[in-house]
Amino acid sequence: RRSSDLPRSIQLVSRQRTLLKLRWSLGEGETISHLKYILRLRCEGPSVRALEPSTDNNPGQKVVGIELPVEIANLMEGLEDGWCPVWFGESMSCKVPKLLAGMVYQASVRSFNHFGASDWSQCVSFSTAASVPFAPVGLEIIETESKVAWAEARPNGSSISTYSLSCDKGSGWNVLYSGLDTYCLLPSHAKGVPLRLRVRASNAEGDGPWSAVVEGSVQADAPNAPVLLCSSVSASSAIVTLSNKDGIPHGGELVISCFDQSSGSSTPFCQTHFSAFPAEIKNLTPGITYEITAVAVDKNGRKSDTSAPISVSTKAQGNYKR
């Protein structure tokens, strides 16, 4: 007798994040013996790529199709449009593992024996449970833009609520950025030093796994221009200080230049290097007005813009007052 009878009523027995358990039945009163079944599956909608084999980045994340015996391979017509054979056997139920979480799948089954095969049953849709997002991929440091970027993570059935970028500068991991953007502009303290970076995505199901670690660095910014203040002046010296805390770069110095305004010369009357403040500029001439400027220089030789000048007049000889 030919196996032309259609399996009916595919039902969902249970679902997990990456597994469906299905069962089906024959028409009422059918008792054909020696039947076997083939189950096919595809993603509902345009996401048929989810039926491709697993990848190293996300092992086990996709449907893995089975290789059918040669003698029944001719029963697989109709597997275009993303269909993939996932099970065959004599049972009227099966488990389909290694699925994507939060995905809607279509299932269809056909029966066969040594006389032939039935048509495929009507498609029925099922969905797997939502899960945490996959690890983002494509994490990279874009040195020319002083930023870090990555590709969107697959949300696995629940919208991504935040990305967390973690940074290790040699003293442990700390969160550098948290938000929905897939990039982060590096702050000044993360520039000019070796970096180790990783990123993960989170949704309502929890935190996803961290991405692979990326190592690198970007060039540090030039120092900020210092802001000078004069705290006191005598006949031969002036004491200057800074109003901005970041006026001296870490490991760097300030180069202070004094110009004699009465001479009109563009050449400094004196130039002094300081690494700590307040600083005393010595050997000035009494009774002269000076224009004082400063440039910050970091440990790598990068220079800031020249500070706004301040005007300082030394006391006439013998008329010193604090």
Side-chain angles (χ1 to χ4, degrees), residues 30-286:
E30 296 293 346
T31 57
I32 301 174
S33 61
H34 306 295
L35 280 181
K36 293 184 179 180
Y37 304 92
I38 301 173
L39 180 72
R40 64 180 184 174
L41 209 68
R42 71 176 176 183
C43 292
E44 189 170 279
S47 301
V48 294
R49 291 176 57 190
L51 291 165
E52 297 170 358
S54 304
T55 66
D56 291 338
N57 288 332
N58 292 302
Q61 70 176 26
K62 299 177 180 180
V63 171
V64 178
I66 60 171
E67 184 175 352
L68 295 170
V70 175
E71 61 269 21
I72 63 170
N74 64 331
L75 301 180
M76 290 298 96
E77 71 273 6
L79 288 181
E80 64 280 356
D81 300 326
W83 287 109
C84 183
V86 294
W87 180 90
F88 82 97
E90 296 182 5
S91 174
M92 297 181 71
S93 66
C94 71
K95 294 180 180 179
V96 185
K98 299 182 180 180
L99 301 178
L100 285 167
M103 180 68 75
V104 178
Y105 291 96
Q106 292 179 336
S108 178
V109 66
R110 77 187 312 181
S111 61
F112 67 95
N113 60 17
H114 62 280
F115 290 109
S118 71
D119 294 329
W120 290 102
S121 69
Q122 183 177 359
C123 297
V124 180
S125 296
F126 304 100
S127 63
T128 49
S131 181
V132 298
F134 285 137
V137 296
L139 179 64
E140 62 176 336
I141 299 173
I142 305 174
E143 189 170 350
T144 56
E145 300 179 37
S146 296
K147 75 176 184 180
V148 180
W150 55 92
E152 290 185 3
R154 188 184 186 281
N156 286 338
S158 177
S159 299
I160 291 174
S161 57
T162 187
Y163 290 101
S164 299
L165 178 68
S166 186
C167 173
D168 177 17
K169 296 185 289 183
S171 58
W173 292 100
N174 293 286
V175 175
L176 191 65
Y177 166 80
S178 181
L180 283 172
D181 290 329
T182 55
Y183 69 91
C184 169
L185 297 176
L186 290 173
S188 296
H189 66 80
K191 298 178 181 179
V193 294
L195 297 175
R196 299 175 68 231
L197 298 164
R198 62 185 184 180
V199 65
R200 71 180 177 189
S202 303
N203 61 15
E205 301 297 315
D207 298 328
W210 290 105
S211 70
V213 173
V214 170
E215 299 184 6
S217 64
V218 299
Q219 187 175 24
D221 296 328
N224 293 324
V227 180
L228 292 176
L229 296 173
C230 180
S231 60
S232 66
V233 63
S234 69
S236 60
S237 68
I239 296 179
V240 295
T241 186
L242 298 172
S243 67
N244 54 332
K245 295 180 180 179
D246 59 349
I248 303 180
H250 179 69
E253 62 180 7
L254 255 61
V255 180
I256 294 182
S257 302
C258 294
F259 298 88
D260 183 348
Q261 289 186 317
S262 63
S263 69
S265 174
S266 60
T267 301
F269 172 79
C270 65
Q271 198 169 64
T272 314
H273 297 243
F274 295 99
S275 58
F277 280 78
E280 184 178 9
I281 305 171
K282 300 179 179 180
N283 301 319
L284 301 179
T285 302

Side-chain angles (χ1 to χ4, degrees), residues 13-33:
V13 177
S14 63
R15 70 171 187 167
Q16 299 176 20
R17 288 174 173 172
T18 59
L19 182 144
L20 292 175
K21 186 174 181 180
L22 306 174
R23 68 184 177 193
W24 52 89
S25 61
L26 292 175
E28 185 176 353
E30 296 293 346
T31 57
I32 301 174
S33 61

